[in-house]
Each structure stands twice: as structure tokens, then as C-alpha cells.
């Protein structure tokens, strides 16, 4: 099931890369909805399960919360290290003059984080089927933006369209590879809460630092905000129904 859902993620990534550039302002609505769903997964699924699975504390703080902070800064450091900026690409001129390697490195960073997404799906199913499905929903929602950004950031720095499509293909396959790894590598039961907290922080960063700013870039509009609230309400309803 984890690998099957990762294949859905692969298709969504490809769609994001191939058609996102053509949908104009509607892209902001899709991203707003995705951010709301991801925040809902973190607040209503991952963190409650993490705190339930691991009640231990370190320095007076629940260990899953420390893991969440670590996950948040993992992707933050990854992005800053490889110079990824996912929003407001149209505010920057095309980068030439030998910066093609920067675009490839940034695209590779996005591919690597997509592998981690797939591993998250696999590990989620090891924790519980409901957690695996929730993680998969979050990953699928933000993979639309991933596909769009992988192609954009690669070509922004002067790389040919062909290289951008190659990086898009790698980014699309990456969650499937990660899901295979996450299915085959077993997570010790004692580390389930730690993992869930870590991945919650990972998703929290993507939603708040990447997806939401991109959804609200451009002229002010209530549409993305309403879509974010709708995504959040949707995940709250799912959590209430499942319990």
C-alpha cells in the first residue's frame, strides 16, 4: 500500500511539473488547500500519535516535540545549504553566467527530500495504517508544488529544458524509491513516537515556510486563505471520523 500510494505521489509530482506553470492564479488555490491539509495532518494525526506512542521526556520536554523541532530544522538547513528558494521565482531574473550547477544542486535537494517523503510513507504504515494514509495524503498534496518547483528552480539558473525535465523525472520517482526503503527497513517499536514527531516537524516546515508563502505570493486574495482553512477543516473531519 505504501508503494502504491507513492506511485500516486509520483503522478502528482509529474502533473505539478508539467501543468502548474499553465494554471496561473489557480495554482495559489491548490497550494493553499495543500498547506491546510498538511497542517491538519501534523496537528490532528502525527503529533497526537507521536505523543501517545512516546511519553518520555528530555530536559523537561516531551521527546516527540524535540524530534519535531529537529525535523523542522533538518529541511530548513537542507534548503539553505543548497540555495533552494521555492517561492517568488518570477521576482528573480534568470540566473546564467555559470550558475547552472547551482540549479542542479537545488533540484537535487528537492529530489532528496522527495525520497524522505517516500520513506515517511513507508514508516508511517509500519506505525499504523491510518498514520500511513495520513502521511501519504500530506505528501501527495505537496508533491504538486514539488514537481513545479523542481523544474522551475533547475531551469531558472540557466539549465536547458531537457535537464529540467530529467530532474522532474527523478523527483517523481524519488517517493517510490523512498517508499520501498521505508517498507523494507523496519522501525523499532520504541522509535515510532520519535519518528512521527520528526516527520511532523518536517511537514510543518514545508507547509509554513514553502507552500503557504508561495500560495500567498502576488496580489492579495482571500481565495488561498479560504482554501487553507478548507484543507485544515477537511483533515479535522477525517480525524474526528476515524476516532
Amino acid at each position: 500500500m505504501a508503494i502504491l500510494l507513492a506511485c500516486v505521489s509520483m503522478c502528482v509530482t509529474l502533473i505539478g511539473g508539467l501543468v502548474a506553470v499553465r494554471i496561473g492564479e489557480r495554482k495559489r488555490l491548490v497550494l493553499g488547500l495543500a498547506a491546510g491539509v498538511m497542517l491538519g495532518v501534523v496537528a490532528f494525526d502525527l503529533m497526537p500519535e507521536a505523543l501517545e506512542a512516546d511519553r518520555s521526556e528530555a530536559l523537561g520536554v516531551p521527546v516527540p516535540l524535540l524530534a519535531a523541532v529537529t525535523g523542522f530544522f533538518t529541511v530548513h538547513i537542507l534548503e539553505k545549504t543548497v540555495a533552494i528558494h521555492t517561492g517568488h521565482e518570477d521576482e528573480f531574473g534568470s540566473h546564467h553566467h555559470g550558475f547552472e550547477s547551482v540549479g542542479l544542486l537545488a533540484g537535487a535537494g528537492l529530489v532528496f527530500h522527495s525520497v524522505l517523503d517516500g520513506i515517511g510513507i513507508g514508516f508511517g504504515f509500519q506505525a499504523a495504517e491510518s498514520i500511513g494514509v495520513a502521511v501519504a495524503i500530506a505528501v501527495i498534496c505537496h508533491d504538486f508544488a514539488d514537481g513545479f518547483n523542481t523544474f522551475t528552480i533547475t531551469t531558472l539558473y540557466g539549465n536547458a529544458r531537457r535537464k529540467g525535465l530529467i530532474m522532474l523525472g527523478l523527483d517523481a520517482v524519488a517517493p517510490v524509491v523512498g517508499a520501498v526503503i521505508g517498507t523494507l527497513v523496519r522501525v523499532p517499536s520504541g522509535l515510532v513516537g520519535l519518528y512521527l514527531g520528526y516527520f511532523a516537524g518536517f511537514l510543518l516546515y514545508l507547509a509554513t515556510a514553502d507552500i503557504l508563502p508561495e500560495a500567498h505570493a502576488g496580489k492579495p486574495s482571500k481565495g488561498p486563505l479560504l482554501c487553507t482553512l478548507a484543507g485544515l477543516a477537511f483533515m479535522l473531519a477525517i480525524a474526528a471520523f476515524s476516532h
Side-chain angles (χ1 to χ4, degrees), residues 41-52 64-65 68 196-198 200-201:
V41 168
V42 170
F44 309 136
D45 284 292
L46 292 182
M47 285 312 304
E49 289 287 345
L51 292 169
E52 181 69 25
L65 294 182
L196 293 176
Y198 179 87

Side-chain angles (χ1 to χ4, degrees), residues 81-126:
T81 300
V82 299
I84 298 173
H85 58 265
T86 55
H88 314 284
E89 274 83 2
D90 55 349
E91 296 177 9
F92 297 85
S94 295
H95 296 65
H96 299 290
H97 310 297
F99 283 96
E100 290 86 352
S101 60
V102 175
L104 293 176
L105 185 60
L110 288 168
V111 172
F112 176 71
H113 120 234
S114 292
V115 173
L116 296 181
D117 285 345
I119 292 175
I121 296 175
F123 284 176
F125 272 97
Q126 290 187 42

Side-chain angles (χ1 to χ4, degrees), residues 12-241:
V12 173
T13 301
L14 288 173
I15 291 172
L18 295 176
V19 308
V21 71
R22 299 180 180 274
I23 66 174
E25 285 296 300
R26 287 174 293 175
K27 172 181 173 249
R28 299 171 61 198
L29 302 180
V30 174
L31 293 176
L33 181 65
V37 169
M38 293 168 67
L39 289 172
V41 168
V42 170
F44 309 136
D45 284 292
L46 292 182
M47 285 312 304
E49 289 287 345
L51 292 169
E52 181 69 25
D54 189 345
R55 299 178 181 272
S56 61
E57 293 186 355
L59 303 176
V61 179
V63 168
L65 294 182
L66 294 175
V69 173
T70 302
F72 186 95
F73 278 99
T74 296
V75 65
H76 174 67
I77 292 171
L78 173 66
E79 287 198 348
K80 299 308 177 185
T81 300
V82 299
I84 298 173
H85 58 265
T86 55
H88 314 284
E89 274 83 2
D90 55 349
E91 296 177 9
F92 297 85
S94 295
H95 296 65
H96 299 290
H97 310 297
F99 283 96
E100 290 86 352
S101 60
V102 175
L104 293 176
L105 185 60
L110 288 168
V111 172
F112 176 71
H113 120 234
S114 292
V115 173
L116 296 181
D117 285 345
I119 292 175
I121 296 175
F123 284 176
F125 272 97
Q126 290 187 42
E129 183 174 344
S130 60
I131 294 298
V133 171
V135 171
I137 289 174
V139 169
I140 290 169
C141 282
H142 87 259
D143 272 349
F144 175 85
D146 269 4
F148 178 86
N149 291 324
T150 299
F151 178 80
T152 301
I153 200 70
T154 302
T155 55
L156 180 69
Y157 283 89
N159 289 288
R161 181 183 179 89
R162 179 179 60 83
K163 289 185 178 179
L165 291 173
I166 290 174
M167 294 303 296
L168 173 61
L170 293 174
D171 190 52
V173 174
V176 180
V177 174
V180 172
I181 296 173
T183 300
L184 296 178
V185 178
R186 309 307 298 177
V187 181
S189 58
L191 297 180
V192 169
L194 193 66
Y195 149 70
L196 293 176
Y198 179 87
F199 199 69
F202 191 92
L203 290 180
L204 183 62
Y205 180 90
L206 294 177
T208 57
D210 282 349
I211 307 299
L212 273 178
E214 192 167 356
H216 291 278
K219 62 182 181 181
S221 172
K222 295 180 179 179
L225 175 60
L226 293 176
C227 286
T228 300
L229 295 176
L232 196 63
F234 174 70
M235 290 310 302
L236 178 59
I238 289 180
F241 180 78

